[in-house]
Amino acid sequence: MTEQTFKVGEIVTHEEMGPVVIRSEPFAWIYGRESRYVVEVSEGSRAGKHVAVISSRLSAATFERGATVLVDGERCTVKAGPFVDKFAPARPWYVVENADGSHETSAASFLTLASVDEPITVGDRVRVLEAKHAEEEHGKLGRVIRTDGTWTPIGGGLHPYRVELDDGGTIEVRRVERVADEPASTFTHDGVTYDLTASYRDRDNDMWSFTGSTNVHGRPLVSMFADRSGGRSLGSVVEAYGPLTKVTD
């Protein structure tokens, strides 16, 4: 793979330190074959300091005009930029257009490219990624029943989606991801999908099987006993004895 190169004075992004300014030509390092650069850090406790970094941890920090980006989780369009303030040369900024047609400025470090996936529509099967005041539902699966919601909790951003969860209940959601239809014989807990027809071993090597029943909240029950009596909720077992590993032999 061809090693990327940068020019002195170029503003780039370091994968951990954010925007930095290239302050040297590339140079060889005695302990590795990959070139390094001296860069000036622009943010955090190391702002203004010069450090040496390997080239593979740097990438171009520019966004094309017309690109769809995310600002605080909201989709926007880049309309102009990048612009550089002479007093903060390592912090380029852009003008972006919001969904309502208004415009604002944003530092490059706060922009990320948005996915080009088809928009979520009513009826889509999704996984909940972010829902203010319903964080315990993150990772769960459900079906979208509304996409034009207006609820905007303080500090939470617009929650346009209403999702009917597989295990019961309806919540307002800020971010989701589309998933393929999964068979009814699965259940997702804390982002992990479990096969309700399989057995699982806990960290102590004890075996657990699903009983086929649920608790009053719709969560599946698991048991250590052959007759599957004395069921406990999957969540409580994962918390006390997890992680659970599917038995495949």
Side-chain angles (χ1 to χ4, degrees):
M1 182 174 65
T2 303
E3 187 175 301
Q4 58 187 337
T5 58
F6 304 99
K7 298 179 181 179
V8 174
E10 184 177 353
I11 301 168
V12 299
T13 297
H14 186 273
E15 62 185 36
E16 292 181 355
M17 295 184 289
V20 296
V21 180
I22 299 294
R23 293 305 187 194
S24 77
E25 298 290 343
F27 60 92
W29 189 252
I30 190 172
Y31 298 112
R33 287 179 287 181
E34 188 173 351
S35 297
R36 296 192 174 217
Y37 289 86
V38 172
V39 301
E40 181 182 342
V41 183
S42 64
E43 297 181 348
S45 60
R46 304 172 74 181
K49 294 185 177 181
H50 290 67
V51 297
V53 298
I54 57 176
S55 61
S56 63
R57 306 190 76 180
L58 301 173
S59 60
T62 59
F63 297 90
E64 298 287 341
R65 292 187 184 183
T68 301
V69 296
L70 295 178
V71 182
D72 293 332
E74 306 297 332
R75 297 176 75 91
C76 303
T77 302
V78 174
K79 303 302 288 186
F83 301 101
V84 177
D85 188 323
K86 66 179 181 179
F87 298 108
R91 302 192 66 182
W93 53 277
Y94 291 81
V95 175
V96 298
E97 183 176 77
N98 299 311
D100 61 5
S102 62
H103 294 79
E104 63 178 300
T105 61
S106 177
S109 57
F110 294 124
L111 304 181
T112 56
L113 282 175
S115 68
V116 295
D117 295 338
E118 290 296 319
I120 299 297
T121 60
V122 172
D124 282 348
R125 187 161 175 73
V126 297
R127 177 178 287 106
V128 175
L129 298 180
E130 183 180 354
K132 189 72 172 179
H133 304 312
E135 287 80 3
E136 70 279 3
E137 312 293 1
H138 290 178
K140 290 188 177 180
L141 301 179
R143 198 166 297 278
V144 175
I145 59 176
R146 181 178 181 180
T147 61
D148 58 352
T150 59
W151 185 55
T152 307
I154 296 176
L158 177 66
H159 283 48
Y161 306 111
R162 180 170 296 167
V163 177
E164 187 175 61
L165 299 173
D166 287 355
D167 59 358
T170 299
I171 60 173
E172 309 300 318
V173 181
R174 183 179 186 182
R175 292 192 301 119
V176 299
E177 65 176 356
R178 186 184 289 105
V179 298
D181 280 328
E182 297 189 14
S185 58
T186 62
F187 181 85
T188 299
H189 170 74
D190 200 21
V192 179
T193 299
Y194 294 87
D195 181 354
L196 302 184
T197 65
S199 295
Y200 287 79
R201 292 188 188 279
D202 63 21
R203 63 171 178 255
D204 297 322
N205 210 36
D206 290 322
M207 186 90 72
W208 296 84
S209 299
F210 290 93
T211 67
S213 300
T214 62
N215 62 14
V216 294
H217 302 293
R219 275 60 169 175
L221 302 179
V222 292
S223 172
M224 294 178 62
F225 303 104
D227 64 358
R228 301 190 177 185
S229 61
R232 297 179 55 177
S233 72
L234 172 63
S236 67
V237 172
V238 170
E239 181 176 356
Y241 306 109
L244 301 184
T245 304
K246 186 176 181 179
V247 177
T248 58
D249 53 10

